[in-house]
Amino acid sequence: MEGTPMPPTFYEQPTLELAKALLGCVLVKETEEGIASGYIVETEAYMGPIDRAAHSYGNRRTKRTEVMFHEAGRIYTYVMHTHCLVNVVSGEREKPEAILIRAVEPLHGQELMEARRPGHVKKNWTNGPGKLTKALGITMEDYGGSYLQPPLMITEGYQPENISAGKRIGIDNTGEARDYPWRFWVSGNPYVSR
DNA sequence: TTCTAGATCGTCT
DNA sequence: GACGATCTAGAAA
């Protein structure tokens, strides 16, 4: 639980820079059951207005994407099928950009994660956007909050030696936007989704 | 190991 | 009423 929350200025860097800077940081979630956390090892950037694959494409502003238009460092959660996905809001106010956290490496509260992901080996607890939210206990109740304080926050971690970049995943029906190399992960880390 | 289909539900049209 | 920024199980090679 040691670890200082990243300062507000950390979130003010350009979205693509922030997506890389987030790698190695620690995502911490506090619940009544205890604290669970993990190193962020995979992210994906969504560039708002110009990104066909983003929910906020064309400045589409709805009840759902509202928080993306707020200041950087806010929490954007989205429900997909039966799963919940977490994003870090980026960009200035009125600039709907965000970064999806795709995978983390278990750190604290591993017995909690195991209890939440019964029947799975450790590697499969958090190696996917829908899986890590379940393992850490992140829900829609976190929507609109800030990563600067509990119950959900991002703290200092380590500096990854190498970072890889590639195409994003799961957005095959969105034209040329699917080829943008806006997915980043820690090279060689076994907890990335692919 | 790779792929195909079904589950399942809130949000937007 | 249609559609996913997904996951999992089960079948095929």
Side-chain angles (χ1 to χ4, degrees):
Chain A
M1 352 281 123
E2 64 290 345
T4 315
M6 303 308 278
T9 50
F10 173 74
Y11 301 96
E12 292 171 6
Q13 54 190 313
T15 298
L16 292 177
E17 293 299 313
L18 181 58
K20 285 181 278 192
L22 281 169
L23 296 175
C25 291
V26 181
L27 183 64
V28 185
K29 168 69 180 184
E30 290 183 17
T31 65
E32 293 181 351
E33 304 166 290
I35 293 178
S37 67
Y39 291 113
I40 297 171
V41 296
E42 183 178 0
T43 59
E44 261 180 23
Y46 285 86
M47 302 297 281
I50 65 170
D51 187 354
R52 285 273 311 268
H55 294 149
S56 52
Y57 175 63
N59 277 318
R60 203 150 144 284
R61 186 169 191 158
T62 67
K63 182 181 178 184
R64 203 48 173 230
T65 60
E66 177 65 29
V67 76
M68 294 176 92
F69 291 81
H70 289 231
E71 77 277 14
R74 299 284 283 251
I75 301 167
Y76 173 43
T77 50
Y78 172 78
V79 176
M80 163 83 173
H81 290 66
T82 56
H83 305 284
C84 186
L85 283 54
V86 242
N87 298 251
V88 177
V89 173
S90 178
E92 304 166 26
R93 282 174 183 277
E94 306 308 316
K95 297 275 180 66
E97 301 177 355
I99 296 160
L100 169 67
I101 298 176
R102 286 195 61 87
V104 303
E105 175 182 340
L107 183 59
H108 294 297
Q110 297 194 16
E111 48 311 311
L112 263 182
M113 298 188 217
E114 184 166 24
R116 288 163 175 162
R117 308 265 318 138
H120 292 275
V121 295
K122 182 175 179 180
K123 183 185 170 185
N124 287 328
W125 292 351
T126 56
N127 66 338
K131 300 179 193 175
L132 75 90
T133 54
K134 190 166 188 181
L136 295 184
I138 297 170
T139 69
M140 283 305 292
E141 289 183 17
D142 291 305
Y143 179 92
S146 163
Y147 285 106
L148 301 177
Q149 67 224 309
L152 181 59
M153 56 185 182
I154 291 174
T155 65
E156 248 179 297
Y158 68 101
Q159 187 66 44
E161 293 184 11
N162 287 296
I163 293 173
S164 301
K167 296 178 184 178
R168 289 177 293 179
I169 291 175
I171 51 171
D172 292 339
N173 302 323
T174 46
E176 66 277 356
R178 76 175 144 173
D179 292 327
Y180 299 161
W182 291 346
R183 169 175 170 247
F184 306 96
W185 68 92
V186 177
S187 305
N189 188 289
Y191 295 93
V192 300
S193 59
R194 296 194 185 177

